[in-house]
Amino acid sequence: MKNILATLAIAALPLGALAAADAPLVFKPGHASLKQFLLPAQVPHPADNAPNAARVALGQTLFFDPRLSGDGNMSCATCHNPGLGWSDGQGTARGVKSSVLGRASPTVINTAYNSIQMWDGRKASLEDQAMGPMQANVEMNMDIAKLFQWLNGSEGYKKMFDKAYPGQGINEGTVSKAIASFERTAISRNSPFDKWVKGDAKAMTAQQVKGFEVFTGKGNCMACHSGANFTDNGFHNLGLESWGLAEPDMGRYAIKPVKAMKGAFKTPTLRDVARTAPYFHDGSAQTLMDVVEHYDTGGTVKTNLSPNMKPLNLTHDEKLALVAFMEALTSPYKPVKVPALPVK
């Protein structure tokens, strides 16, 4: 586990941390100063849950099975649809009985590289978070005792679990491991930006390269969206309008009650961000341009505002270039097959 955390820490290091301390970025395709933006080829995983075909297949089956919810009509894929950027296209998520929840469904893309999970960071790993939505009465609202009674009575699932985790049985541990194994296949690291970093001069347009310059410079985006996965795995109050409500979502503060964490939420990856609208934890930004405009103002509500939030005074062309660059972080879409679910 220590090696995994070390890998994740490297992936989240801020601009320049992997290069010489005084070495500036050179905005030329293939330049050595850009290599820090390439994700590791090996996807991190715990030592006791190394991925294999059987584990991924089991996790994929569980991920798409609505019978893991109390009403039998919601699966993990309901809120994390591969065709919708591994999110749901909603401003905020829908839970049991289609109730409107307070936070957006975060994307599963590249969560394997995160050192902490969820908008408020209350889960440490993919294994740690996998059962959460099933157990939450406002989300999938599943009776966990009934869930395992049913899974252990299913001949199809018993065969899959025996193959994936021989001798470990069907329990919260193996269900969590299987779902996490499948989620680790949701990877984005073959975008036009990645190709440009590797030396393909035609992979990005001149406008996108200009956007990268704005991103790493005047836009101050790297203050939070740092490293190869474009997240610092940290928490920030962005001064959103919802923070000014009478009873605002306290975010990370509910988990770690220190003043700086009031209204602070985890920095999401920008990988495949063009597919994951709406944006922010409250779904208040409909487009990437809306996101840029918010950051350009330095935040709407100034109370407990992150010190990284300052007016940017970007020109219209700079804003367009910044959006174009973020669009260049999208990898080609890989269709995900909905598996045949065990009948018994």
Side-chain angles (χ1 to χ4, degrees), residues 119 215 218-225 236-240 265-268 270 279-281 285 287-300 302 305-306 308-314 319 322 326:
W119 280 112
F215 186 91
K218 184 178 178 181
N220 196 38
C221 307
M222 290 293 295
C224 302
H225 294 282
H236 307 275
N237 185 321
L238 305 180
L240 299 170
F265 291 86
K266 186 177 181 295
T267 306
L270 294 183
Y279 303 103
F280 298 134
H281 77 275
T287 67
L288 286 174
M289 182 56 78
D290 291 339
V291 172
V292 171
E293 293 287 4
H294 175 78
Y295 279 109
D296 191 54
T297 67
T300 303
K302 306 301 181 181
L305 189 67
S306 168
N308 294 319
M309 292 293 296
K310 299 175 182 178
L312 301 175
N313 300 312
L314 298 175
K319 294 175 184 178
L322 197 50
M326 288 189 284

Side-chain angles (χ1 to χ4, degrees), residues 17-92:
L18 299 182
D22 58 350
L25 279 179
V26 177
F27 296 92
K28 292 183 179 181
H31 193 273
S33 67
L34 304 173
K35 301 302 182 182
Q36 61 186 288
F37 293 101
L38 295 176
L39 283 162
Q42 183 177 358
V43 178
H45 62 79
D48 65 348
N49 195 27
N52 60 41
R55 292 175 176 182
V56 170
L58 172 59
Q60 185 167 354
T61 303
L62 292 167
F63 193 89
F64 283 96
D65 197 333
R67 294 171 293 183
L68 272 62
S69 65
D71 290 342
N73 62 354
M74 289 182 68
S75 69
C76 302
T78 301
C79 293
H80 303 287
N81 187 326
L84 292 170
W86 293 85
S87 183
D88 58 12
Q90 305 280 350
T92 57

Side-chain angles (χ1 to χ4, degrees), residues 61 76 78 86 98 112 121 150 166 176 250 252 262 271 282 289 295 297-298 308 317 343:
T61 303
C76 302
T78 301
W86 293 85
S98 297
W150 169 65
S176 296
M250 298 299 283
R252 178 65 171 168
K262 286 185 176 180
R271 295 285 184 167
D282 61 358
M289 182 56 78
Y295 279 109
T297 67
N308 294 319
D317 284 347
V343 176

Side-chain angles (χ1 to χ4, degrees), residues 136-149:
N137 59 5
V138 296
E139 296 185 51
M140 294 172 74
N141 192 36
M142 185 62 185
D143 184 318
I144 300 303
K146 290 183 178 179
L147 170 65
F148 288 108
Q149 181 180 14

Side-chain angles (χ1 to χ4, degrees), residues 85-121:
W86 293 85
S87 183
D88 58 12
Q90 305 280 350
T92 57
R94 301 298 184 265
V96 64
K97 311 296 183 185
S98 297
S99 57
V100 180
L101 304 182
R103 297 175 183 174
S105 297
T107 181
V108 178
I109 285 289
N110 285 10
T111 49
Y113 292 102
N114 289 348
S115 59
I116 196 167
Q117 307 291 337
M118 315 292 283
W119 280 112
D120 56 16

